[in-house]
Amino acid sequence: MLRKKIRLGDLLVERGFIDEHQLQTALAKQKETGHKLGRQLVELGYVTEDAILRELSQQLDVPWVDPNSYRLDPDATTKLSEGQARRFTALILEETESDFLVAMADPSDLIAYDELTRMLGKPVRAAVARESVINDLINLMYRRGQEINSIAEEISREINPQETVDLAELSVGEGRQSAPVVRLLQSLFEDAIQVGASDIHVEPDEEGLRIRTRRDGLLQEQLVHQRNIHPAMVSLLKLMSGLSITERRLPQDGRFKVRVQGRKIDVRLSTLPLQLGEGIVMRLLDQTSGSASLEGTGMPPEMVKRLRRLIHLPYGMVLVTGPTGSGKSTTLYGALSEINRPEVKIITAEDPVEYQLARVNQIQIRSDIGLTFARVLRTALRQDPDIVMVGEMRDEETADIGMRAAITGHLVFSTLHTNDAPSTANRLIDMGVEPYMLAAALRAVLAQRLLRRICPYCREPYTPDAHERGWLESVLGEHGADVQLYHGSGCNSCSQTGYSGRVGIFELLELNKDMIDALRQGDQSGFAAACQAEPSYEPMSQVAVRYASEGITTLAEVFRVLGEPEEGVGPAPPQEDTATDDQAEAVTADLASALDGEAAGGSTATGDPGAGGGADGTEQGRNNLTG
């Protein structure tokens, strides 16, 4: 079938897709990168991948297929080893009694075709498919579950439960690189990176060792029956993290770096004493992905524009809220990366420091030695910063210092765990922050969540049930009955889950005069009403339903993350005023005086706060706060 010799470059020139000069440029570039010519032409922007595949399909008389439309059988697929599949960018789609159907990125490669036929021992029916799709499916189909179990068995045979484990022999001797425990961890990391997991959980259990990886926010489990390998694995991870291997009764936190598949991964490790041994959770942070950006968060362009204006304010507080794992840190790093300039000093207090930012003074919180958020923030304000980022507002003292910094010439970023943007003010007041201080400091609140995306390969429309229709009408009104919904039917690309990747949903609340007045008076109900009346404020529930109607996510995923309307987000009940009008007026007057003094002293938040006299202005205010 594939005896016809085709030179891809000549074919594309002949068909008018590229000219001779572009072909020569691509060939010269190919010598540098070692890529296939087709991929090189696509990367240079000379031709689309679809055009190449269409021409190959016609010229070679082979079908152009989407591998995701096939229900792959792991037993058949793995008859081609992972190394061979990656070498030839080929994947077995079907096996019959007489032959194999194999998807190839380049079916014109006669050497690859002959090698596949020889290795499989049957005739091969070639089909052409997208290289990216084949590689994604190779990552999913060649999971390292069997390899992990095999190494675990090897370690189990080496370890006699009646004897003391020789850690030196297992993990720190000359043969460390080939030690089974090291190979087991290497396989764990490679498997997690291959499928895009964010966390690895290792938990001892009666039945064995549960290894779970979090992908797109949900855990996927694998059971290793050899539980006696657990102590050796925990000890090696502790050694790598610089933790005490003799301490098993108390939790410990550490971090280390590994290189996996050419990528530099920063691993944050946490241990927890459980009934049957120590549980380990490792957060994987890919340091090779580059610095975060506001556009990279998935935020709508109009909201990026509004947030960009807020992060360039000279002073005030901007909060990012949401539960753990909702992407708050990514948003803050994106903001800091954008305003990180030589003329601006930025200090951060983080627990933990996730990404290293050049020129930013990052401080790791260590509560065990008294290095708390409040203490770091108080000291940081003596370091003449322009911008301060506090990892989290955890207590009244931290919040109070942050508020005072925000009204004395500093731009302050921080995070908080709240359900939505309007409830952030109520949460801070409950923590003990005075309402009039909050009104003077707070400028905006960004609330966010992460929803799983519908897999683009198996997305299909469906008819919602009566309950879903009722929910849509409660959010969208009478138009809710006409909304078309979508879900994923499950395919190879999404591991039959119907979801692939995640998308952020955001609500941005900028405080206006009515909100500030309500806060100053401690009127929480009035503040909530003012939030709802703000034209630029769109609740996350409405954003989520819009994404569901556009086929980006499912209504079931919206329910999972945001809950039903009855369980959803709403203003907290009003509380008694915590400040009198006289107090509010006094603070407002003090703030105006401080700002006037700052202007008179010639110091601004984006310039040099230490320059000029400023004895009656900002410097005095800072010294009063930190002295």
Side-chain angles (χ1 to χ4, degrees):
M1 179 177 59
L2 292 179
R3 293 296 89 195
K4 186 177 180 181
K5 180 70 174 176
I6 287 183
R7 292 172 61 90
L8 179 61
D10 295 338
L11 173 64
L12 294 175
V13 171
E14 178 186 334
R15 303 286 291 177
F17 288 100
I18 59 174
D19 56 34
E20 188 64 35
H21 174 71
Q22 290 174 325
L23 174 60
Q24 295 305 319
T25 302
L27 289 171
K29 190 71 175 175
Q30 183 188 23
K31 292 179 180 178
E32 299 176 12
T33 63
H35 295 162
K36 293 273 190 179
L37 178 60
R39 177 180 171 184
Q40 197 65 68
L41 289 166
V42 172
E43 289 185 354
L44 290 171
Y46 294 158
V47 65
T48 65
E49 185 177 10
D50 285 357
I52 293 176
L53 297 181
R54 191 181 304 111
E55 286 301 314
L56 287 175
S57 174
Q58 292 175 359
Q59 294 295 322
L60 296 172
D61 194 24
V62 298
W64 179 9
V65 300
D66 177 7
N68 285 300
S69 64
Y70 292 80
R71 188 168 288 276
L72 301 183
D73 179 4
D75 291 335
T77 301
T78 52
K79 287 185 177 179
L80 191 64
S81 71
E82 181 182 0
Q84 295 162 344
R86 293 190 185 279
R87 177 186 171 192
F88 300 123
T89 318
L91 187 72
I92 297 176
L93 302 180
E94 287 179 350
E95 180 184 11
T96 66
E97 291 184 1
S98 58
D99 61 16
F100 288 95
L101 174 63
V102 179
M104 301 177 66
D106 182 12
S108 67
D109 188 342
L110 296 181
I111 296 177
Y113 177 79
D114 290 340
E115 278 292 300
L116 291 172
T117 303
R118 182 185 63 78
M119 288 183 293
L120 294 175
K122 283 184 186 179
V124 168
R125 285 183 292 127
V128 63
R130 287 176 174 270
E131 180 180 3
S132 59
V133 174
I134 293 176
N135 285 329
D136 287 344
L137 288 177
I138 288 174
N139 287 338
L140 291 173
M141 296 304 296
Y142 292 91
R143 295 290 299 272
R144 285 167 166 72
Q146 186 175 355
E147 179 182 334
I148 290 170
N149 275 297
S150 175
I151 298 174
E153 224 175 293
E154 181 183 341
I155 299 172
S156 182
R157 288 196 301 267
E158 289 187 7
I159 297 176
N160 185 339
Q162 306 301 323
E163 297 177 358
T164 302
V165 177
D166 187 350
L167 289 174
E169 180 180 341
L170 277 175
S171 57
V172 295
E174 292 182 0
R176 177 172 181 170
Q177 295 303 318
S178 60
V181 180
V182 177
R183 288 193 288 116
L184 175 61
L185 290 179
Q186 184 72 13
S187 296
L188 277 178
F189 287 127
E190 288 179 356
D191 183 65
I193 295 302
Q194 204 164 281
V195 297
S198 60
D199 302 82
I200 301 174
H201 296 235
V202 181
E203 303 162 349
D205 191 271
E206 288 283 2
E207 301 177 21
L209 198 60
R210 295 193 184 276
I211 297 176
R212 302 196 282 177
T213 54
R214 188 177 296 280
R215 182 188 178 204
D216 293 340
L218 297 182
L219 290 169
Q220 299 175 351
E221 182 176 281
Q222 176 185 351
L223 182 64
V224 175
H225 294 285
Q226 295 78 13
R227 204 183 83 185
N228 59 338
I229 72 172
H230 178 246
M233 184 187 299
V234 171
S235 296
L236 177 55
L237 287 170
K238 285 183 174 180
L239 286 171
M240 294 167 67
S241 307
L243 304 179
S244 170
I245 62 174
T246 60
E247 180 56 76
R248 301 183 180 91
R249 300 168 300 170
L250 296 174
Q252 297 186 74
D253 294 301
R255 67 192 307 163
F256 59 91
K257 290 183 174 65
V258 293
R259 187 170 292 278
V260 182
Q261 297 178 346
R263 297 159 71 176
K264 185 178 178 183
I265 307 298
D266 193 0
V267 182
R268 282 169 28 200
L269 180 140
S270 174
T271 72
L272 183 67
L274 304 176
Q275 183 67 25
L276 298 174
E278 290 180 277
I280 299 285
V281 175
M282 291 176 281
R283 168 67 56 88
L284 310 179
L285 302 170
D286 190 350
Q287 301 292 339
T288 60
S289 58
S291 59
S293 66
L294 292 180
E295 286 80 3
T297 62
M299 199 178 298
E302 181 58 33
M303 189 175 290
V304 170
K305 184 177 179 181
R306 292 169 57 197
L307 184 60
R308 184 166 282 134
R309 176 173 51 80
L310 289 167
I311 65 176
H312 284 88
L313 291 174
Y315 56 85
M317 178 176 286
V318 177
L319 295 176
V320 181
T321 75
T324 301
S326 60
K328 301 186 298 296
S329 296
T330 301
T331 300
L332 283 177
Y333 277 118
L336 290 179
S337 296
E338 183 155 323
I339 57 180
N340 184 10
R341 305 185 303 275
E343 66 270 21
V344 176
K345 179 161 185 175
I346 303 174
I347 299 180
T348 72
E350 305 173 62
D351 186 19
V353 176
E354 295 189 3
Y355 294 97
Q356 303 290 334
L357 297 177
R359 206 185 292 116
V360 176
N361 297 265
Q362 297 173 271
I363 305 169
Q364 169 69 54
I365 297 301
R366 294 188 58 187
S367 301
D368 56 331
I369 60 172
L371 196 62
T372 61
F373 277 112
R375 183 171 183 179
V376 169
L377 182 54
R378 189 181 296 109
T379 305
L381 293 175
R382 301 191 188 110
Q383 293 287 311
D384 189 26
D386 301 302
I387 298 167
V388 177
M389 194 269 274
V390 185
E392 184 182 344
M393 292 290 181
R394 292 184 179 176
D395 52 59
E396 179 183 354
E397 183 181 11
T398 305
D400 183 67
I401 298 172
M403 296 293 164
R404 294 182 181 277
I407 64 176
T408 54
H410 303 88
L411 182 60
V412 180
F413 297 114
S414 190
T415 70
L416 203 63
H417 288 213
T418 61
N419 289 331
D420 65 354
S423 62
T424 301
N426 304 333
R427 174 80 178 93
L428 287 167
I429 291 173
D430 290 342
M431 286 173 60
V433 175
E434 296 292 350
Y436 55 87
M437 182 69 72
L438 185 59
L442 190 60
R443 291 291 173 266
V445 180
L446 176 73
Q448 62 184 74
R449 295 285 196 285
L450 292 175
L451 298 175
R452 288 182 296 168
R453 287 181 179 269
I454 299 176
C455 174
Y457 297 107
C458 61
R459 189 186 77 163
E460 61 183 19
Y462 78 98
T463 303
D465 58 29
H467 173 68
E468 291 175 327
R469 285 291 182 204
W471 196 89
L472 287 170
E473 291 177 8
S474 71
V475 176
L476 302 178
E478 58 184 14
H479 300 294
D482 303 323
V483 171
Q484 176 63 65
L485 297 179
Y486 300 82
H487 66 182
S489 59
C491 66
N492 302 312
S493 180
C494 61
S495 301
Q496 309 302 326
T497 63
Y499 297 97
S500 179
R502 290 193 286 179
V503 61
I505 55 171
F506 305 85
E507 61 178 33
L508 179 58
L509 180 66
E510 297 181 66
L511 271 66
N512 59 25
K513 182 179 182 301
D514 292 338
M515 299 178 204
I516 293 174
D517 288 343
L519 276 184
R520 187 177 293 118
Q521 298 167 17
D523 182 4
Q524 297 185 26
S525 295
F527 176 76
C531 293
Q532 298 299 329
E534 170 57 40
S536 64
Y537 171 66
E538 182 181 20
M540 271 191 295
S541 58
Q542 293 184 13
V543 178
V545 170
R546 188 172 73 248
Y547 280 15
S549 66
E550 294 172 355
I552 298 173
T553 189
T554 65
L555 203 56
E557 179 70 1
V558 174
F559 289 162
R560 184 184 73 84
V561 174
L562 296 182
E564 306 275 348
E566 298 78 26
E567 307 168 6
V569 184
Q575 298 180 351
E576 294 183 3
D577 292 351
T578 57
T580 65
D581 290 341
D582 290 340
Q583 287 175 309
E585 292 174 3
V587 169
T588 305
D590 290 344
L591 174 60
S593 174
L595 296 178
D596 289 342
E598 180 181 350
S603 172
T604 65
T606 56
D608 180 5
D616 298 323
T618 306
E619 275 307 309
Q620 181 180 357
R622 293 184 185 179
N623 291 333
N624 286 340
L625 288 173
T626 59

